Amino acid sequence: MILSKKDIPSFLDKLISEYQVFAPVQEGSYTLFKQISSGADAVLTDSNTKLPAKEIFFPQSEKLFSYNVTEEGTKLEATIDDQKKVVFGVRPCDAKSLTLLDNVFNNDKYQDPYYLTRRTNTIMVGVGCNAPASTCFCTSVNGGPFDTKGLDLLLVDTGDAYVVEVVSDKGKALAEQAGFAAASDADKTAASKAKEEAKVTCQVNTDGLKDKLDVNFYDPIWDKIHEKCLGCGACTYLCPTCHCFDIVDDAVDCNGCRVRNWDSCAFPLFTLHGSGHNPRTSNKERYRNRIMHKFKYFVDNFGEIACVGCGRCIKNCPVNMDIRVVLEDVRGSEARLDS
């Protein structure tokens, strides 16, 4: 199937009449995922958005329920967003990140109805990356510029149009609803060529990394690695797989609500116990935990690395910490970067 670029605004306008539609929009010098009211607002470029799409499913601040306590008892009222949604223009790395977060919010011990309801009711339309950035390393963490994990439809840029690839039943239904024209052999050839020419030039060697982390908790390397880190938490807020949060009550007298807010393992108070004890008092311990969590603990728990190689933490670190170099330092060898 084929979707002409000039037809995208009208395609999105039709979706807006039935769904909440989220797409990259221009905000100053960068793009962010926002709910759009007009298809003309969507901006598709080869660059990834400043923030990942995870906020659509796991908001930075979210009221979980409100409560009222009276002499008759306690009344609870949950607030679950069950609106049908389409996320349009998401990059493959961000789509894959949601499949990783699914492990956190839907497992044998815990199912999060807020996150899961949004996931169930959302159709993911991705755009492949014809020109991955120099900071991208998705192919080193089991991804790729046209990876379809977490997507329902994948769009492949062929110049004036996108070739539409169906990934799931939800995507098939949306494509049939949209009535896309069939792609010609020339369109399919152009899509194949675009995929062949899209090169992720940066490779990070993760061979043996997990084995190293299994035994190096007390290794002196951690005394060095964390030194530049300011503990600002920017990398955690920009990361599509980070999911630390805090729960607070906002109440007056007997009426209030329970709110979930993003938090960060980079912050000193994140692990502060009610007793006053804090198991991670230093920046070294907090930075080690960040690396351990993504490349050891998550692998132990779910069998996958909690990194999709989007490169946001590299682009936006105020002191130019580069996780690619950190990983190579952990492995005990010099950085092996191809660009």
Side-chain angles (χ1 to χ4, degrees), residues 52 61 75 91 100 105 120 220 226 231 280 287 300 311-312 328:
S61 183
K75 180 181 179 182
R91 298 292 172 176
L100 299 175
F105 293 108
T120 300
H226 77 95
R280 298 186 204 133
Y287 193 80
D300 286 337
R312 287 187 178 91
E328 288 298 336

Side-chain angles (χ1 to χ4, degrees), residues 274-293:
S275 65
H277 171 65
N278 191 337
R280 298 186 204 133
T281 56
S282 72
N283 194 47
K284 165 190 166 182
E285 292 160 327
R286 293 188 287 274
Y287 193 80
R288 177 179 60 192
N289 178 75
R290 174 170 167 72
I291 299 300
M292 286 280 189
H293 179 250

Side-chain angles (χ1 to χ4, degrees), residues 35-83:
Q35 184 179 350
I36 59 173
S37 57
S38 169
D41 293 337
V43 176
L44 298 182
T45 68
D46 279 336
S47 299
N48 216 336
T49 51
K50 186 77 167 182
L51 290 171
K54 75 173 179 183
E55 190 172 14
I56 299 168
F57 304 90
F58 172 42
Q60 188 166 350
S61 183
E62 177 176 24
K63 183 171 78 173
L64 302 179
F65 59 84
S66 57
Y67 54 84
N68 173 248
V69 181
T70 67
E71 292 181 351
E72 287 73 33
T74 301
K75 180 181 179 182
L76 300 177
E77 184 176 355
T79 306
I80 296 181
D81 174 11
D82 60 358
Q83 294 289 310

Side-chain angles (χ1 to χ4, degrees), residues 93-329:
C93 56
D94 281 356
K96 183 194 171 188
S97 75
L98 295 171
T99 70
L100 299 175
L101 290 178
D102 289 347
N103 293 304
V104 177
F105 293 108
N106 185 24
N107 54 62
D108 292 341
K109 297 180 180 177
Y110 178 71
Q111 295 83 43
D112 186 297
Y114 307 92
Y115 173 88
L116 293 178
T117 301
R118 293 189 179 98
R119 285 284 281 148
T120 300
N121 292 335
T122 300
I123 300 171
M124 302 289 289
V125 182
V127 176
C129 299
N130 288 35
S134 62
T135 48
C136 294
F137 57 99
C138 57
T139 52
S140 299
V141 285
N142 300 319
F146 295 92
D147 189 13
T148 58
K149 297 184 188 74
L151 289 176
D152 297 299
L153 291 175
L154 173 66
L155 307 184
V156 181
D157 190 346
T158 58
D160 295 329
Y162 292 99
V163 169
V164 182
E165 297 182 2
V166 173
V167 180
S168 72
D169 290 341
K170 284 200 294 187
K172 181 181 180 182
L174 185 70
E176 291 176 348
Q177 176 186 347
F180 296 136
S184 66
D185 289 341
D187 294 328
K188 295 175 183 177
T189 300
S192 297
K193 183 180 180 184
K195 290 183 177 181
E196 291 172 1
E197 293 180 347
K199 302 297 182 186
V200 176
T201 57
C202 179
Q203 301 296 321
V204 179
N205 188 354
T206 60
D207 292 344
L209 178 63
K210 169 66 166 55
D211 293 337
K212 192 82 174 184
L213 291 172
D214 281 342
V215 298
N216 80 341
F217 190 83
Y218 297 104
D219 194 296
I221 189 69
W222 299 111
D223 295 326
K224 171 189 173 186
I225 285 178
H226 77 95
E227 286 180 333
K228 283 174 61 178
C229 179
L230 302 176
C232 67
C235 54
T236 62
Y237 276 65
L238 297 168
C239 176
T241 67
C242 279
H243 52 270
C244 292
F245 61 83
D246 192 14
I247 299 286
V248 297
D249 277 8
D250 184 4
V252 176
D253 297 329
C254 295
N255 300 308
C257 61
R258 187 153 296 176
V259 180
R260 175 165 62 187
N261 299 312
W262 286 5
D263 206 336
S264 171
C265 62
F267 298 156
L269 297 183
F270 180 67
T271 48
L272 180 63
H273 296 184
S275 65
H277 171 65
N278 191 337
R280 298 186 204 133
T281 56
S282 72
N283 194 47
K284 165 190 166 182
E285 292 160 327
R286 293 188 287 274
Y287 193 80
R288 177 179 60 192
N289 178 75
R290 174 170 167 72
I291 299 300
M292 286 280 189
H293 179 250
K294 290 190 172 299
F295 298 95
K296 169 176 163 51
Y297 304 145
F298 206 89
V299 179
D300 286 337
N301 290 328
F302 305 116
E304 297 186 83
I305 291 173
C307 173
V308 294
C310 69
R312 287 187 178 91
C313 60
I314 302 168
K315 285 183 176 178
N316 296 286
C317 177
V319 293
N320 298 320
M321 286 199 74
D322 190 328
I323 195 170
R324 299 169 298 183
V325 177
V326 170
L327 295 178
E328 288 298 336
D329 284 344

